[in-house]
Amino acid sequence: MNLARFYDRPDVYLIVAAFLLALGIYGLLRRRTLIGMLIAGELIFSSASLNFMALNRFLAPDPAVGQIVVLFIMGLAAAEVAIALSIVIAVYRNYRSVDTSDLSELKG
Amino acid sequence: MNPFPGAGILAFIIFCVCVATTVAGGLLAVFTVRIIRSVCGLALCCIGLAGLYYFLHSPFLALMEILIYVGAVCVTIIFAVMLAEPEENVSREGRARDLVWMVSAVLLAGVVFYAVSRLGLSGPWPAPPAPPGDASVKAIGISLLTTYSLAFELISLVLLVAILGALVIARSGRTKP
């Protein structure tokens, strides 16, 4: 395998995307504040985008489709961040904390 | 004769820098304790991703990644961090339970990473098409306004509703004494 053409193969991109997905899942499980969990969710969005772009570049017959899908993912991620952060601020105003272990009013 | 003999090696080095930036940013975003460093890690990860998009023949999306993620999403998260001052305090549960949680999270993440990367490396991908289609910004714009015009309009509606909903949720209860 020629070392200099390493970036013209889909393998590295797919492995980086899988690594970002695993990091995002680990962060979602480990983070204790809502904002930390939101950041981990953004990592998962990024991994999905990278996967779309890699398969779009190397395997899709029409390379414009994947870029449009990734644009839509970015738009949805922006909308999600706006809503989630406003919920975080509303929660902080009511509870004076965004720690997930404090938000246990509905816990059985 | 190639006028730039070291161009391949140079591109390889830049590619490695992009991958390392992405991975390091992701690690920083997940493993740091302070939340503001985590946001900086997310920004670093997105800059590396923009470089990877450039290597995937899409400079338009590289620009959009920096513009939207680093310029808008990270700045918004920093605003929320300043407003809500989240502190990652040390666990209130026992150490043993915390260790069990950490081990199970690492195990789950490792299994997901192994399964997805194995699927990506060993999948029976079809052969790439011989003449690659047009991937320019012009082609993207044409298909956004013809084939995907409904989704394009719908996402503008989603963004509008998200802005209004964020305003309503974040403002409610603010004017009360």
Side-chain angles (χ1 to χ4, degrees):
Chain A
M1 184 171 63
N2 193 354
L3 196 67
R5 305 299 290 171
F6 204 50
Y7 49 85
D8 267 346
R9 302 161 46 81
D11 305 353
V12 187
Y13 302 100
L14 293 178
I15 289 179
V16 171
F19 186 69
L20 284 183
L21 174 67
L23 276 183
I25 289 174
Y26 176 81
L28 268 185
L29 289 175
R30 285 294 296 164
R31 280 290 181 187
R32 292 173 187 283
T33 64
L34 293 177
I35 296 181
M37 293 169 75
L38 181 69
I39 291 173
E42 288 303 312
L43 282 183
I44 295 180
F45 268 117
S46 302
S47 111
S49 304
L50 184 59
N51 224 333
F52 264 111
M53 280 304 293
L55 294 184
N56 172 59
R57 157 81 176 83
F58 295 106
L59 300 168
D62 182 7
V65 179
Q67 304 190 35
I68 289 170
V69 169
V70 172
L71 272 181
F72 285 155
I73 291 178
M74 284 181 191
L76 286 179
E80 179 241 354
V81 163
I83 291 291
L85 288 181
S86 67
I87 291 176
V88 164
I89 289 173
V91 163
Y92 180 73
R93 193 173 295 139
N94 286 327
Y95 290 86
R96 289 287 137 195
S97 160
V98 290
D99 198 304
T100 46
S101 54
D102 290 339
L103 310 175
S104 55
E105 213 162 87
L106 289 179
K107 191 175 179 181
Chain B
M1 182 65 194
N2 190 356
F4 299 110
I9 298 298
L10 199 62
F12 178 70
I13 291 173
I14 295 175
F15 177 71
C16 287
V17 167
C18 286
V19 170
T21 310
T22 310
V23 170
L27 288 173
L28 205 64
V30 170
F31 286 103
T32 49
V33 177
R34 287 192 180 276
I35 210 82
I36 193 77
R37 291 182 189 157
S38 174
V39 181
C40 294
L42 181 66
L44 197 65
C45 177
C46 289
I47 290 174
L49 270 179
L52 287 185
Y53 288 165
Y54 204 88
F55 272 98
L56 287 169
H57 294 203
S58 175
F60 173 62
L61 272 186
L63 192 65
M64 282 297 126
E65 176 86 16
I66 290 184
L67 202 67
I68 294 178
Y69 272 97
V70 184
V73 169
C74 288
V75 172
T76 318
I77 294 178
I78 287 177
F79 269 115
V81 168
M82 287 194 287
L83 283 175
E85 49 190 273
E87 70 273 12
E88 291 261 340
N89 38 18
V90 196
S91 70
R92 301 168 197 175
E93 308 145 358
R95 279 202 86 113
R97 207 174 149 198
D98 196 51
L99 196 68
V100 167
W101 260 110
M102 185 169 157
V103 168
S104 56
V106 166
L107 271 183
L108 183 62
V111 165
V112 166
F113 173 62
Y114 177 73
V116 175
S117 55
R118 189 181 165 83
L119 202 66
L121 290 187
S122 66
W125 303 117
D134 192 7
S136 61
V137 181
K138 188 181 170 191
I140 295 174
I142 287 176
S143 44
L144 264 183
L145 290 181
T146 54
T147 316
Y148 300 97
S149 57
L150 181 64
F152 187 61
E153 297 297 330
L154 276 181
I155 205 159
S156 67
L157 196 66
V158 164
L159 283 172
L160 176 68
V161 173
I163 292 170
L164 293 179
L167 280 178
V168 168
I169 294 174
R171 256 202 83 82
S172 66
R174 189 173 173 186
T175 48
K176 278 188 290 190

